Amino acid sequence: METLFTDVLCIGAGLAGERVAIEAASAGFDAICLSIVPARRSHSSAAQGGMQAALGHCAMGADDGPDVHFQDTVKGSDWGADQEVVRLFVDRAPEAVREMAFWGIPWNRVVPGSSIYFKGGKEYEKVEATEKEGFITARDFGGTAKWRTCYTSDGTGHTLLYTMDNKVVELGVTVHDRVEAIALIHDGETCTGAVARCLKTGKLRAYLAKATLIATGGYGKIYRETTNAVINDGGGAIIALDTEVVPLGNPEAIQFHPTGIVPTNILVTEGCRGDGGTLLDVNENRFMPEYEPEKEELASRDVVSRWMTHHIRQGLGVKSPYGDHLWLDIRHLGEHHIKTKLREVEEICNNFLGVDPITQLIPVRPAQHYTMAGVRTNKDGAAYGLKGLFSAGEAACWDMHGLNRLGGNSLAETVVAGRIVGEKIVEFLQGYEVQYNTGVIRNTVTKQEERIKSLISGKNGNERVYEIRNLMQDELMERVGIFRNGTDLQQAVDNLQEIYARAQKVGLRSNGIGVNPELTLALKIQGMVKLALCTAYGALQRTESRGCHAREDYEARNDRDWWNRTLATWKEGDDLPTLNYEPATETVELPPAERGYGVCKIISCDGEVIGEE
Amino acid sequence: MSRRLKLNIFRYNPQDPHSVPRTDTFDLEETESMTLFIALTQLREEKDSSLQFDFCCRAGICGACAMMINGRPGLACHTLTKDLPDEITLMPLPIFKLIGDLSVDTGTWFRAMYEKVESWVHTDKEFDPKADEERMDNAVAEEIYELERCIECGCCIAACGTANMREDFVGAVTMSRLARFMMDPRDERTEKEYFEVIGTDEGIFGCMGLLGCEDVCPKHLPLQDQLGILRRKMGWSAVKQLFRRS
């Protein structure tokens, strides 16, 4: 079998993985990135709206700074975030945006003079300062006090990823595309690389590395209705969980984005609302001002998604063969704005819906979008449980998002965390030597070879992998969605345990030769159901409502009992994760308080009940 | 009334010694708003789980799913079956190396392209983390973005008459990439340096002007304009160099 050696193995070549590789390569270390698709097709490329960084150049961002960004992010997280990490992040975000500009991003720039903008369907005027001409500008996004989201039209993730990958090529970093890591190589204490399957030939390969990074993004595909790409099925989280020692942080923290289009769940950016778009119901009435008089359509995503679901439950959704939905209205922004600032949205609506957003309404409803959950790391990006293992980006729970991420903070996290974790890996590698244990490597490879053989021969059974996946997705969709309650969650856990038992009996229908797509999924299905169980079980145990986790039977945010982070590990042979908890944050710069949007019901740290009717 | 679709799909698994190149035909009931993404996924999950094809974002953003759709290169994810006849023939993109069935290796081809044109900003400046960014006119930023929208799907290469005849022809995507850097004030390369990359028969002078690229680009990039501008610039550059030599 082919065996390759490197200093840093980045599993995942989206923005976070490549940024780490760049940092390592710049310091003279050898880096290899693995990607299951050509690097530039990674899901980072689908991020549309922008990247938050407090530059404060544009008129509506005047007097912005890292402190305001800090407050917005902690409030957005519903105080679930690690505040030391948030501070690290906000302080370095402006530099990250400028570095990306230096590397080639065509950020939209400040145009001096008077211009109109829309808020809540009404026109306002703003005047951009002449002395700021040509600096990087920003747009408005949900849950922010200032216009802070830097952008290139609505293709920000695309330009960031292309520029990042250009830098990777300039530095000569190796990218092995169409390679999927299927197991980490470790002895329970130290991680020394991964076993991977080549998706051009189907052959296994061992990558031995001093430092291994998981940067595989989120895993929205455990849900049926998700904005995520086909590839976001949790490969990195699964191999971490399989180690039995590396925990996932806050597996119950799953974000729903307010504006997935119906029926395909393709995302249309929050920039639509940031730029002044509104949400309408069946009567074409705006309903958000009634629920959120202050923030209206631009409350945080968890809050807007909940109100939309609530409004549909009131019978005010628009009926369709694909279930009820609401409307997103950007018509008033005008043709010029849509054709320059919302180009992807225009294309998506025309291509997939046959809707022209310049003259017509866009059918939308909340869809799964982001996993705040991820491989738990410390502030340096080092994973809990295994030396030599790191994680960054959406794959990680670093944890700057807590129970809800703000729009524009994920692109920013990939680039900022990529740099910080990259620096820490470089520090880690100074003088670090590792011994490769051939027995451990052999065992890991043999175990994977046997799994493949069993799936092909049908030794364990002949359950169909697609059926198991569909059952899992439906279960999460039905019972572990936007609103949750104890009865449904318990049911979900019970059902998922049955599904997990069946997942262990999957056998292939096809011959499994080469790059067989059925085998690719079958190798992951048990892991995916484990992730689903972590989500459902974590949600069942968390008897409070915080950020995206809204319990109908425990409506208050409970800072006395639940100001903490779930840590889920999985022991081999179990059919439930083991849950532990740690404080959400050791550093408290901003003590828990009201967010300023959403339903305010809080049990404070000293047990005082705030906002109870 | 829903239609019965007939899908003729190219099949070959190079990893399987028993596999021979062939066409398999599948019947499928058309559903409302069906795309080729939905159709192919359904075929794989219900009829033949060994069927290889590539989808990623399924939103027309990532460029993974380009294939020959009734003889024309296009993105399968945003192709609606209602815009196609009852019989649909799907083939892998030509020119790129076949991985299996409808899946081709675009990654290797494009990485070689980035290396050839040195697809990054060339500058002698050092990044100063403390300083404000350099200013840029917003109109220039938007002009760069226009070309930066390329998703490297490979359609322009598959549709290119020259690229289909000669393996070393760089194609529209490569030239448009270079044009993107030529208009970027941050890139300090001289016209002569650009000329060395692209002022050849493998580059701009190999283009026969058939403009299949412009017709099939799913992002509607202004490829025709860029090829014209590039040809003019590089033509002048060639003339200047002739005089310099004499």
Side-chain angles (χ1 to χ4, degrees), chain A residues 76-145:
Chain A
S77 81
D78 219 354
W79 276 269
D82 181 326
Q83 297 193 13
E84 192 183 0
V85 168
V86 178
R87 176 48 73 182
L88 262 176
F89 160 76
V90 296
D91 284 351
R92 296 197 63 183
E95 175 192 327
V97 167
R98 291 185 178 122
E99 185 175 58
M100 293 310 297
F102 185 76
W103 289 350
I105 300 288
W107 294 115
N108 277 83
R109 303 291 178 141
V110 174
V111 179
S114 159
S115 57
I116 57 157
Y117 70 96
F118 287 88
K119 193 169 159 31
K122 285 198 209 80
E123 255 186 60
Y124 297 87
E125 193 192 359
K126 64 182 173 66
V127 180
E128 299 291 348
T130 312
E131 67 268 23
K132 295 287 187 187
E133 179 172 11
F135 281 139
I136 296 167
T137 191
R139 61 167 31 135
D140 202 6
F141 250 50
T144 61

Side-chain angles (χ1 to χ4, degrees), chain A residues 519-533:
Chain A
L519 177 61
T520 307
L521 181 60
L523 281 167
K524 254 179 295 198
I525 190 67
Q526 285 188 41
M528 289 177 80
V529 183
K530 278 160 79 171
L531 294 177
L533 266 164

Side-chain angles (χ1 to χ4, degrees), chain A residues 143-171:
Chain A
T144 61
K146 301 281 178 185
W147 288 26
R148 186 187 299 128
T149 303
C150 307
Y151 61 96
T152 53
S153 185
D154 57 352
T156 317
H158 171 90
T159 57
L160 279 169
L161 186 59
Y162 272 51
T163 299
M164 194 70 87
D165 194 53
N166 283 339
K167 193 74 192 168
V168 158
V169 177
E170 181 186 352
L171 292 171

